[in-house]
Amino acid sequence: MKNIVKYLRRSQEFDITQQQLGAIVGVSKATISAIENGAKTSAEVMLKIARYFNKDPREIFFVADVNCQITDPESARDDNGST
């Protein structure tokens, strides 16, 4: 799962290590490393990380393939004019 955990963690505002963030949210340094590298994690850990950084989880964690390709609305309709 894409995220900005590493960016936030290393920012001037926070500037903490993986070990420190792990201790704060109750996981290991290895877990923080895995999360920063795109591994999935539990909703509980995502919420704890978001709470620490004082952000909505959706600002930190996102899925890369969420982009929807919008096509011509007319081409999405069937012959009867309904979708």
Coordinates of all heavy atoms in Angstrom, one line a residue:
M1 N 0.8 -1.2 0.0 CA 0.0 0.0 0.0 C 0.9 1.2 0.0 O 1.8 1.4 0.8 CB -0.9 0.0 1.2 CG -1.7 1.2 1.4 SD -2.9 1.2 2.7 CE -4.1 0.1 2.0
K2 N 0.6 2.1 -0.9 CA 1.4 3.4 -1.0 C 1.1 4.2 0.2 O 0.0 4.2 0.8 CB 1.1 4.1 -2.3 CG 1.3 3.4 -3.5 CD 2.5 3.9 -4.2 CE 2.7 3.2 -5.5 NZ 4.1 3.2 -5.9
N3 N 2.2 4.9 0.7 CA 2.0 5.8 1.8 C 3.1 6.8 1.9 O 4.1 6.8 1.1 CB 2.0 5.0 3.1 CG 3.3 4.3 3.4 OD1 4.2 4.9 3.7 ND2 3.3 3.0 3.2
I4 N 2.9 7.8 2.8 CA 3.9 8.8 3.0 C 4.5 8.8 4.4 O 5.0 9.8 4.9 CB 3.4 10.2 2.6 CG1 2.2 10.6 3.5 CG2 3.0 10.4 1.2 CD1 1.8 12.0 3.5
V5 N 4.5 7.6 5.0 CA 5.0 7.5 6.4 C 6.5 7.9 6.5 O 6.8 8.7 7.3 CB 4.8 6.0 6.9 CG1 5.5 5.8 8.2 CG2 3.3 5.7 7.0
K6 N 7.3 7.4 5.5 CA 8.7 7.7 5.6 C 8.9 9.3 5.4 O 9.7 9.9 6.2 CB 9.5 7.0 4.5 CG 11.0 7.2 4.5 CD 11.7 6.4 3.5 CE 13.2 6.5 3.6 NZ 13.8 5.6 2.6
Y7 N 8.2 9.9 4.5 CA 8.3 11.3 4.3 C 7.9 12.1 5.6 O 8.6 13.0 6.0 CB 7.4 11.7 3.2 CG 7.2 13.2 3.1 CD1 8.1 14.0 2.4 CD2 6.0 13.8 3.6 CE1 8.0 15.4 2.3 CE2 5.9 15.2 3.5 CZ 6.8 16.0 2.9 OH 6.7 17.3 2.8
L8 N 6.8 11.7 6.2 CA 6.4 12.3 7.5 C 7.4 12.1 8.6 O 7.8 13.0 9.3 CB 5.0 11.8 7.9 CG 3.8 12.3 7.0 CD1 2.6 11.5 7.4 CD2 3.6 13.8 7.1
R9 N 7.8 10.8 8.7 CA 8.7 10.5 9.8 C 10.0 11.2 9.7 O 10.6 11.7 10.8 CB 9.0 9.0 9.7 CG 9.9 8.4 10.8 CD 10.1 6.9 10.7 NE 10.7 6.5 9.4 CZ 12.0 6.6 9.1 NH1 12.9 7.2 10.0 NH2 12.5 6.2 8.0
R10 N 10.5 11.5 8.5 CA 11.8 12.1 8.3 C 11.7 13.7 8.2 O 12.7 14.4 8.1 CB 12.5 11.6 7.1 CG 12.8 10.1 7.4 CD 13.5 9.5 6.2 NE 14.9 10.0 6.1 CZ 15.7 9.8 5.0 NH1 15.2 9.1 4.0 NH2 16.9 10.3 5.0
S11 N 10.4 14.2 8.2 CA 10.2 15.6 8.0 C 10.8 16.4 9.2 O 11.0 15.8 10.3 CB 8.7 15.9 7.9 OG 8.1 15.7 9.1
Q12 N 11.0 17.7 9.0 CA 11.6 18.5 10.1 C 10.6 18.5 11.3 O 11.1 18.6 12.4 CB 11.7 20.0 9.6 CG 13.1 20.3 9.1 CD 13.2 21.8 8.8 OE1 12.4 22.3 8.0 NE2 14.3 22.4 9.3
E13 N 9.4 18.5 11.0 CA 8.4 18.5 12.1 C 8.5 17.3 13.1 O 8.3 17.5 14.3 CB 7.0 18.6 11.5 CG 5.9 18.8 12.6 CD 4.5 18.9 12.0 OE1 4.4 19.0 10.7 OE2 3.6 18.9 12.8
F14 N 8.8 16.2 12.6 CA 8.9 15.0 13.4 C 10.3 14.4 13.6 O 10.7 14.2 14.7 CB 7.9 13.9 12.8 CG 6.5 14.3 12.8 CD1 5.9 14.8 11.7 CD2 5.7 14.3 14.0 CE1 4.6 15.2 11.7 CE2 4.4 14.7 14.0 CZ 3.8 15.2 12.8
D15 N 11.0 14.2 12.5 CA 12.4 13.7 12.5 C 12.6 12.6 13.6 O 13.4 12.8 14.5 CB 13.3 14.9 12.8 CG 14.8 14.5 12.5 OD1 15.0 13.6 11.7 OD2 15.7 15.1 13.1
I16 N 11.9 11.5 13.4 CA 12.1 10.4 14.3 C 12.6 9.1 13.5 O 12.4 9.1 12.3 CB 10.8 10.0 15.1 CG1 9.7 9.7 14.1 CG2 10.4 11.2 16.0 CD1 8.4 9.2 14.8
T17 N 13.1 8.2 14.2 CA 13.6 6.9 13.5 C 12.5 5.9 13.4 O 11.4 6.1 14.0 CB 14.7 6.3 14.4 OG1 14.2 5.9 15.6 CG2 15.9 7.3 14.6
Q18 N 12.7 4.9 12.6 CA 11.7 3.8 12.5 C 11.5 3.2 13.9 O 10.4 2.8 14.2 CB 12.2 2.8 11.5 CG 12.2 3.2 10.1 CD 12.8 2.2 9.1 OE1 13.6 1.4 9.5 NE2 12.3 2.3 7.9
Q19 N 12.6 3.0 14.6 CA 12.5 2.4 16.0 C 11.6 3.2 16.9 O 10.8 2.7 17.6 CB 13.9 2.4 16.6 CG 14.0 1.6 17.9 CD 13.9 0.1 17.8 OE1 14.4 -0.5 16.8 NE2 13.1 -0.5 18.7
Q20 N 11.8 4.6 16.8 CA 11.0 5.4 17.7 C 9.5 5.4 17.3 O 8.6 5.3 18.1 CB 11.5 6.9 17.6 CG 12.8 7.1 18.3 CD 13.4 8.4 17.9 OE1 13.4 8.9 16.8 NE2 14.0 9.1 18.9
L21 N 9.2 5.4 16.0 CA 7.8 5.4 15.5 C 7.2 4.0 15.9 O 6.1 4.0 16.3 CB 7.7 5.6 14.0 CG 6.3 5.6 13.4 CD1 5.4 6.7 14.1 CD2 6.3 5.9 11.9
G22 N 8.0 3.0 15.7 CA 7.5 1.7 16.1 C 7.1 1.6 17.6 O 6.1 1.0 17.9
A23 N 8.0 2.1 18.4 CA 7.7 2.1 19.9 C 6.4 2.9 20.2 O 5.6 2.6 21.0 CB 8.9 2.7 20.6
I24 N 6.2 4.0 19.5 CA 5.1 4.9 19.7 C 3.8 4.2 19.3 O 2.8 4.3 20.1 CB 5.2 6.2 18.9 CG1 6.3 7.1 19.5 CG2 3.9 7.0 18.9 CD1 6.8 8.2 18.6
V25 N 3.8 3.5 18.2 CA 2.6 2.8 17.7 C 2.5 1.4 18.2 O 1.4 0.7 17.9 CB 2.3 3.0 16.2 CG1 2.2 4.4 15.8 CG2 3.4 2.3 15.4
G26 N 3.5 0.8 18.8 CA 3.4 -0.5 19.3 C 3.8 -1.6 18.4 O 3.2 -2.7 18.4
V27 N 4.7 -1.3 17.4 CA 5.1 -2.4 16.5 C 6.7 -2.3 16.4 O 7.3 -1.4 16.9 CB 4.5 -2.2 15.0 CG1 3.0 -2.3 15.1 CG2 4.9 -0.9 14.4
S28 N 7.3 -3.2 15.7 CA 8.7 -3.3 15.6 C 9.2 -2.3 14.5 O 8.5 -1.9 13.6 CB 9.2 -4.7 15.2 OG 8.8 -5.0 13.9
K29 N 10.5 -2.1 14.6 CA 11.2 -1.3 13.5 C 11.0 -2.0 12.2 O 10.8 -1.3 11.2 CB 12.7 -1.2 13.9 CG 13.5 -0.5 12.8 CD 15.0 -0.5 13.2 CE 15.8 0.2 12.1 NZ 16.5 -0.7 11.3
A30 N 11.1 -3.3 12.2 CA 10.9 -4.0 10.9 C 9.5 -3.8 10.3 O 9.4 -3.7 9.1 CB 11.2 -5.5 11.2
T31 N 8.5 -3.7 11.2 CA 7.2 -3.5 10.7 C 7.1 -2.1 10.1 O 6.5 -1.9 9.0 CB 6.1 -3.7 11.8 OG1 6.2 -5.0 12.3 CG2 4.7 -3.3 11.4
I32 N 7.6 -1.1 10.7 CA 7.6 0.3 10.1 C 8.4 0.3 8.8 O 7.9 0.9 7.8 CB 8.3 1.3 11.1 CG1 7.4 1.4 12.4 CG2 8.4 2.7 10.4 CD1 6.0 1.9 12.2
S33 N 9.5 -0.4 8.7 CA 10.2 -0.5 7.5 C 9.4 -1.1 6.4 O 9.3 -0.6 5.2 CB 11.5 -1.3 7.7 OG 12.2 -1.4 6.4
A34 N 8.7 -2.2 6.7 CA 7.9 -2.9 5.8 C 6.7 -2.0 5.3 O 6.4 -1.9 4.1 CB 7.3 -4.2 6.4
I35 N 6.1 -1.3 6.2 CA 5.0 -0.4 5.9 C 5.5 0.7 4.9 O 4.9 1.0 3.9 CB 4.4 0.3 7.1 CG1 3.6 -0.8 8.0 CG2 3.5 1.4 6.8 CD1 3.3 -0.3 9.3
E36 N 6.7 1.3 5.2 CA 7.3 2.3 4.4 C 7.6 1.8 3.0 O 7.6 2.6 2.0 CB 8.5 2.9 5.0 CG 8.3 3.7 6.2 CD 9.5 4.3 6.9 OE1 10.6 4.0 6.5 OE2 9.3 5.1 7.8
N37 N 7.8 0.5 2.9 CA 8.1 -0.1 1.6 C 6.9 -0.7 0.9 O 7.0 -1.4 -0.1 CB 9.2 -1.2 1.8 CG 10.6 -0.5 2.0 OD1 11.0 0.3 1.2 ND2 11.2 -0.8 3.1
G38 N 5.7 -0.4 1.4 CA 4.5 -0.7 0.7 C 3.7 -1.9 1.2 O 2.7 -2.3 0.7
A39 N 4.2 -2.6 2.3 CA 3.5 -3.7 2.9 C 2.2 -3.3 3.5 O 2.0 -2.2 4.0 CB 4.3 -4.4 4.0
K40 N 1.2 -4.2 3.4 CA -0.1 -3.9 4.0 C 0.0 -4.0 5.5 O 0.9 -4.7 6.1 CB -1.1 -4.9 3.5 CG -1.5 -4.7 2.1 CD -2.5 -5.6 1.6 CE -2.8 -5.4 0.1 NZ -3.8 -6.4 -0.3
T41 N -0.8 -3.2 6.2 CA -0.8 -3.3 7.7 C -2.3 -3.2 8.2 O -3.2 -3.0 7.4 CB 0.0 -2.2 8.3 OG1 0.2 -2.4 9.7 CG2 -0.6 -0.8 8.1
S42 N -2.4 -3.4 9.4 CA -3.8 -3.4 10.0 C -4.4 -2.0 10.1 O -3.6 -1.0 10.1 CB -3.8 -4.0 11.4 OG -3.2 -3.2 12.3
A43 N -5.7 -1.9 10.1 CA -6.3 -0.6 10.3 C -5.9 0.0 11.6 O -5.8 1.2 11.6 CB -7.9 -0.8 10.2
E44 N -5.8 -0.8 12.6 CA -5.4 -0.3 13.9 C -4.0 0.4 13.8 O -3.9 1.5 14.4 CB -5.3 -1.4 14.9 CG -4.9 -1.0 16.3 CD -4.8 -2.1 17.3 OE1 -5.1 -3.3 17.0 OE2 -4.5 -1.8 18.5
V45 N -3.1 -0.2 13.2 CA -1.7 0.4 13.1 C -1.8 1.7 12.2 O -1.2 2.7 12.5 CB -0.7 -0.6 12.5 CG1 0.6 0.1 12.2 CG2 -0.5 -1.7 13.5
M46 N -2.6 1.6 11.1 CA -2.8 2.8 10.3 C -3.3 4.0 11.1 O -2.9 5.1 11.0 CB -3.6 2.5 9.1 CG -3.0 1.8 8.0 SD -3.9 1.7 6.5 CE -5.0 0.4 6.8
L47 N -4.3 3.7 11.9 CA -5.0 4.7 12.7 C -4.0 5.3 13.8 O -3.9 6.5 14.0 CB -6.2 4.2 13.4 CG -7.4 3.9 12.5 CD1 -8.5 3.1 13.3 CD2 -7.9 5.2 12.0
K48 N -3.2 4.4 14.4 CA -2.2 4.9 15.3 C -1.1 5.8 14.7 O -0.7 6.8 15.2 CB -1.5 3.7 16.0 CG -2.4 3.0 17.0 CD -1.7 1.8 17.7 CE -2.6 1.1 18.7 NZ -1.9 0.0 19.3
I49 N -0.7 5.4 13.5 CA 0.3 6.2 12.8 C -0.3 7.5 12.4 O 0.3 8.6 12.6 CB 0.8 5.4 11.5 CG1 1.7 4.3 12.0 CG2 1.6 6.4 10.6 CD1 2.1 3.3 10.8
A50 N -1.6 7.5 11.9 CA -2.2 8.8 11.5 C -2.4 9.6 12.8 O -2.3 10.9 12.7 CB -3.6 8.4 10.9
R51 N -2.8 9.1 13.9 CA -3.0 9.8 15.1 C -1.7 10.5 15.5 O -1.7 11.7 15.9 CB -3.5 8.9 16.2 CG -4.0 9.7 17.5 CD -4.6 8.9 18.5 NE -5.7 8.0 18.0 CZ -5.8 6.7 18.2 NH1 -4.9 6.1 18.9 NH2 -6.8 6.1 17.7
Y52 N -0.6 9.8 15.5 CA 0.7 10.3 15.8 C 1.0 11.5 15.0 O 1.5 12.6 15.5 CB 1.8 9.3 15.8 CG 3.1 9.9 16.0 CD1 3.5 10.3 17.3 CD2 4.0 10.2 15.0 CE1 4.7 10.9 17.6 CE2 5.2 10.8 15.2 CZ 5.6 11.2 16.5 OH 6.7 11.9 16.8
F53 N 0.8 11.4 13.7 CA 1.2 12.5 12.8 C 0.0 13.5 12.6 O 0.2 14.5 11.9 CB 1.5 11.9 11.4 CG 2.8 11.2 11.3 CD1 2.8 9.8 10.9 CD2 4.0 11.8 11.6 CE1 4.0 9.1 10.9 CE2 5.2 11.1 11.6 CZ 5.2 9.8 11.2
N54 N -1.0 13.3 13.4 CA -2.2 14.3 13.4 C -2.7 14.5 12.0 O -2.9 15.6 11.6 CB -1.7 15.6 14.1 CG -2.9 16.5 14.5 OD1 -4.0 15.9 14.8 ND2 -2.8 17.8 14.4
K55 N -3.0 13.4 11.4 CA -3.5 13.5 10.0 C -4.6 12.4 9.9 O -4.7 11.4 10.6 CB -2.5 13.2 9.0 CG -1.3 14.2 9.0 CD -0.8 14.3 7.6 CE 0.2 15.4 7.5 NZ -0.3 16.7 7.4
D56 N -5.5 12.6 8.9 CA -6.5 11.6 8.5 C -5.7 10.5 7.9 O -4.8 10.7 7.0 CB -7.5 12.3 7.5 CG -8.6 11.3 7.2 OD1 -8.4 10.3 6.6 OD2 -9.8 11.7 7.5
P57 N -6.1 9.2 8.2 CA -5.4 8.1 7.5 C -5.4 8.2 6.0 O -4.4 7.7 5.4 CB -6.1 6.9 8.0 CG -6.8 7.3 9.3 CD -7.1 8.8 9.1
R58 N -6.4 8.7 5.4 CA -6.5 8.8 4.0 C -5.5 9.8 3.4 O -5.2 9.7 2.2 CB -7.9 9.2 3.5 CG -8.9 8.1 3.9 CD -10.3 8.6 3.7 NE -10.6 9.7 4.7 CZ -11.8 10.3 4.9 NH1 -12.8 9.9 4.2 NH2 -11.9 11.2 5.8
E59 N -4.9 10.7 4.2 CA -3.9 11.6 3.8 C -2.5 10.8 3.7 O -1.6 11.3 3.1 CB -3.7 12.8 4.7 CG -5.0 13.7 4.7 CD -4.8 14.8 5.7 OE1 -4.1 15.8 5.3 OE2 -5.3 14.7 6.8
I60 N -2.4 9.7 4.5 CA -1.1 9.0 4.6 C -1.1 7.7 3.8 O -0.1 7.4 3.1 CB -0.9 8.7 6.1 CG1 -0.8 10.0 6.9 CG2 0.4 7.9 6.2 CD1 -0.7 9.7 8.4
F61 N -2.2 7.0 3.8 CA -2.2 5.7 3.1 C -3.2 5.7 2.0 O -4.3 6.3 2.1 CB -2.7 4.6 4.1 CG -1.8 4.4 5.3 CD1 -2.1 5.1 6.5 CD2 -0.7 3.6 5.2 CE1 -1.2 5.0 7.6 CE2 0.2 3.5 6.3 CZ -0.1 4.1 7.5
F62 N -2.8 5.2 0.8 CA -3.6 5.2 -0.4 C -3.2 4.0 -1.3 O -2.1 3.5 -1.2 CB -3.5 6.5 -1.1 CG -2.1 7.0 -1.3 CD1 -1.4 6.8 -2.4 CD2 -1.5 7.8 -0.3 CE1 -0.1 7.2 -2.5 CE2 -0.2 8.3 -0.4 CZ 0.5 8.0 -1.5
V63 N -4.1 3.7 -2.1 CA -3.9 2.6 -3.1 C -3.5 3.2 -4.4 O -4.2 4.2 -4.9 CB -5.1 1.7 -3.2 CG1 -4.9 0.6 -4.2 CG2 -5.5 1.2 -1.9
A64 N -2.5 2.8 -5.1 CA -2.0 3.4 -6.3 C -3.0 3.2 -7.4 O -3.1 4.1 -8.3 CB -0.7 2.8 -6.7
D65 N -3.7 2.2 -7.5 CA -4.6 1.9 -8.6 C -6.0 2.4 -8.4 O -7.0 2.0 -9.1 CB -4.6 0.5 -9.0 CG -5.1 -0.4 -7.9 OD1 -5.4 0.1 -6.8 OD2 -5.3 -1.6 -8.2
V66 N -6.2 3.4 -7.6 CA -7.5 3.9 -7.3 C -8.0 4.8 -8.4 O -9.2 5.1 -8.6 CB -7.5 4.7 -6.0 CG1 -8.8 5.5 -5.8 CG2 -7.4 3.8 -4.8
N67 N -7.0 5.3 -9.2 CA -7.4 6.2 -10.3 C -8.4 5.6 -11.2 O -8.2 4.5 -11.7 CB -6.1 6.6 -11.1 CG -5.1 7.4 -10.3 OD1 -5.5 8.0 -9.3 ND2 -3.9 7.4 -10.8
C68 N -9.5 6.2 -11.4 CA -10.5 5.7 -12.3 C -10.3 6.4 -13.7 O -10.2 7.6 -13.7 CB -11.9 6.0 -11.8 SG -12.2 5.2 -10.2
Q69 N -10.4 5.6 -14.7 CA -10.3 6.2 -16.0 C -11.7 6.6 -16.4 O -12.6 5.8 -16.5 CB -9.7 5.3 -17.0 CG -8.2 5.0 -16.8 CD -7.7 4.2 -17.9 OE1 -8.4 3.5 -18.7 NE2 -6.4 4.1 -18.0
I70 N -11.9 7.9 -16.6 CA -13.2 8.4 -17.0 C -13.3 8.4 -18.5 O -12.4 9.0 -19.2 CB -13.5 9.8 -16.4 CG1 -13.4 9.7 -14.9 CG2 -14.8 10.3 -16.9 CD1 -13.6 11.1 -14.2
T71 N -14.2 7.7 -19.0 CA -14.4 7.6 -20.5 C -15.6 8.5 -20.8 O -16.3 9.1 -20.0 CB -14.7 6.2 -20.9 OG1 -15.9 5.7 -20.2 CG2 -13.5 5.3 -20.6
D72 N -15.8 8.6 -22.1 CA -16.9 9.3 -22.6 C -18.2 8.7 -22.1 O -18.5 7.5 -22.2 CB -16.9 9.3 -24.2 CG -18.1 10.0 -24.8 OD1 -18.8 10.7 -24.1 OD2 -18.3 9.8 -26.0
P73 N -19.0 9.5 -21.3 CA -20.2 9.0 -20.7 C -21.2 8.3 -21.7 O -21.9 7.4 -21.5 CB -20.9 10.2 -20.1 CG -19.9 11.2 -20.0 CD -18.9 10.9 -21.0
E74 N -21.2 8.8 -23.0 CA -22.0 8.3 -24.0 C -21.6 6.9 -24.4 O -22.4 6.0 -24.7 CB -22.0 9.2 -25.2 CG -22.7 10.5 -25.0 CD -24.1 10.4 -24.5 OE1 -24.9 9.6 -25.0 OE2 -24.4 11.1 -23.5
S75 N -20.3 6.6 -24.3 CA -19.8 5.3 -24.7 C -20.1 4.2 -23.6 O -20.0 3.1 -23.9 CB -18.3 5.3 -25.0 OG -17.5 5.6 -23.8
A76 N -20.4 4.7 -22.4 CA -20.6 3.8 -21.3 C -22.1 3.3 -21.3 O -22.5 2.5 -20.6 CB -20.3 4.4 -20.0
R77 N -22.9 3.9 -22.2 CA -24.3 3.6 -22.2 C -24.6 2.5 -23.2 O -23.9 2.4 -24.2 CB -25.1 4.8 -22.7 CG -25.1 6.0 -21.7 CD -25.8 7.2 -22.2 NE -25.6 8.3 -21.3 CZ -26.5 8.7 -20.4 NH1 -27.6 8.0 -20.2 NH2 -26.2 9.7 -19.6
D78 N -25.6 1.7 -22.9 CA -26.0 0.7 -23.9 C -26.9 1.3 -25.0 O -27.1 2.5 -25.0 CB -26.7 -0.5 -23.2 CG -28.0 -0.1 -22.5 OD1 -28.6 0.9 -22.9 OD2 -28.5 -0.9 -21.7
D79 N -27.4 0.5 -25.9 CA -28.2 1.0 -27.0 C -29.5 1.7 -26.6 O -30.1 2.5 -27.3 CB -28.5 -0.1 -28.0 CG -27.3 -0.6 -28.7 OD1 -26.3 0.2 -28.8 OD2 -27.3 -1.8 -29.1
N80 N -30.0 1.4 -25.4 CA -31.2 2.0 -24.9 C -31.0 3.3 -24.2 O -31.9 3.9 -23.6 CB -32.0 1.0 -23.9 CG -32.4 -0.2 -24.7 OD1 -32.7 -0.2 -25.9 ND2 -32.4 -1.3 -24.0
G81 N -29.8 3.7 -24.1 CA -29.5 5.0 -23.4 C -29.3 4.9 -21.9 O -29.2 5.9 -21.2
S82 N -29.3 3.7 -21.4 CA -29.1 3.5 -19.9 C -27.7 2.9 -19.7 O -27.1 2.4 -20.6 CB -30.1 2.6 -19.3 OG -30.1 1.3 -19.9
T83 N -27.2 3.1 -18.5 CA -25.9 2.7 -18.1 C -25.9 1.3 -17.5 O -26.9 0.8 -17.1 CB -25.2 3.6 -17.2 OG1 -26.0 3.8 -16.1 CG2 -24.8 4.9 -17.8

